[in-house]
Amino acid sequence: MSNTNKKNQLPGWSIFPAVLVLIFGILIGIYYTIFSDETIATDYKEKADLLKIEAKFDMVIPQRTPDAITNGEKLYSQVCAACHGQDMKGGVGPNLIDNEWRNPPAKETHLFKLVWNGIPTGNPPMPAKGGRMDLTSEQIWQILYYLSSKNKNIEKDAVPNQ
Ligand code: HEC
């Protein structure tokens, strides 16, 4: 009688570790679903909020003066010409002096976003803010004033805030 009982209990005990592993797995699953996703989501949202604040206070849109355009020309030579050509006729990056745009519309406010954020899908990728130069918003607007002084197809829609 007791022999039969032992035989019946053996499968029950041998399944114990498997049940433990299962419970552990479920707990980890619950932990990642409830806590981690939320943490990542909150973290991401906080960063997005920070970026918006930064952009709001950081943004300098200078006056369209001859000095700003001259400075833009210098910066263009230093930062952009390597890819877009000194004459803006293109190189590894597209021509910026014609009226063909891979990323329309051709207006300063839109081009600002492209240069500020970069174009990671480009071949080669266009670095954000001119890459290592880490251009300020003021410098990027100056470059765009220079571009739109050369390329009349670019709509001059920047609204200076200085
Ligand atoms: C490492 C090379 C590289 C550098 C440096 C670079 N670009 Fe670009 N740029 C590109 C590429 C590649 C594209 C095209 C991306 C695509 O496929 O849409 C591009 C696209 C653009 C466009 C959009 C053109 C279009 O036809 O839609 C503008 C405007 C532009 N760049 C301006 C600039 C300015 C201003 C600078 C300097 C601050 C600069 N780029 C620096 C590679 C570069």
Side-chain angles (χ1 to χ4, degrees), residues 32-52:
Y32 274 109
T33 317
I34 297 182
F35 296 104
S36 296
D37 275 5
E38 203 168 282
T39 320
I40 291 166
T42 324
D43 205 37
Y44 193 78
K45 195 179 168 301
E46 270 171 16
K47 281 199 185 120
D49 285 348
L50 275 177
L51 280 178
K52 257 182 250 150

Side-chain angles (χ1 to χ4, degrees), residues 75-76 79-84 92-96 100-104 111 114-115 119 121-127 129-130 135 143-144 147:
L75 290 166
Y76 177 89
V79 188
C80 323
C83 291
H84 291 284
V92 291
N95 183 317
L96 298 178
E100 277 173 35
W101 302 92
R102 292 189 200 172
N103 307 270
L111 300 186
L114 295 178
V115 181
I119 306 178
T121 53
N123 182 23
M126 176 159 104
K129 299 176 192 163
L135 299 165
I143 296 173
L144 293 175
L147 285 188

Side-chain angles (χ1 to χ4, degrees), residues 8-98:
N8 284 343
Q9 277 170 7
L10 195 59
W13 278 109
S14 61
I15 219 163
F16 189 64
V19 173
L20 266 188
V21 168
L22 190 69
I23 291 175
F24 190 63
I26 290 173
L27 284 181
I28 288 192
I30 291 175
Y31 175 80
Y32 274 109
T33 317
I34 297 182
F35 296 104
S36 296
D37 275 5
E38 203 168 282
T39 320
I40 291 166
T42 324
D43 205 37
Y44 193 78
K45 195 179 168 301
E46 270 171 16
K47 281 199 185 120
D49 285 348
L50 275 177
L51 280 178
K52 257 182 250 150
I53 291 166
E54 201 189 343
K56 207 163 121 196
F57 291 108
D58 203 25
M59 179 68 75
V60 172
I61 311 179
Q63 297 292 332
R64 196 186 298 273
T65 61
D67 274 359
I69 295 175
T70 310
N71 207 34
E73 181 174 5
K74 269 188 223 144
L75 290 166
Y76 177 89
S77 304
Q78 289 167 17
V79 188
C80 323
C83 291
H84 291 284
Q86 191 60 49
D87 54 4
M88 297 187 210
K89 288 188 180 158
V92 291
N95 183 317
L96 298 178
I97 199 99
D98 62 3

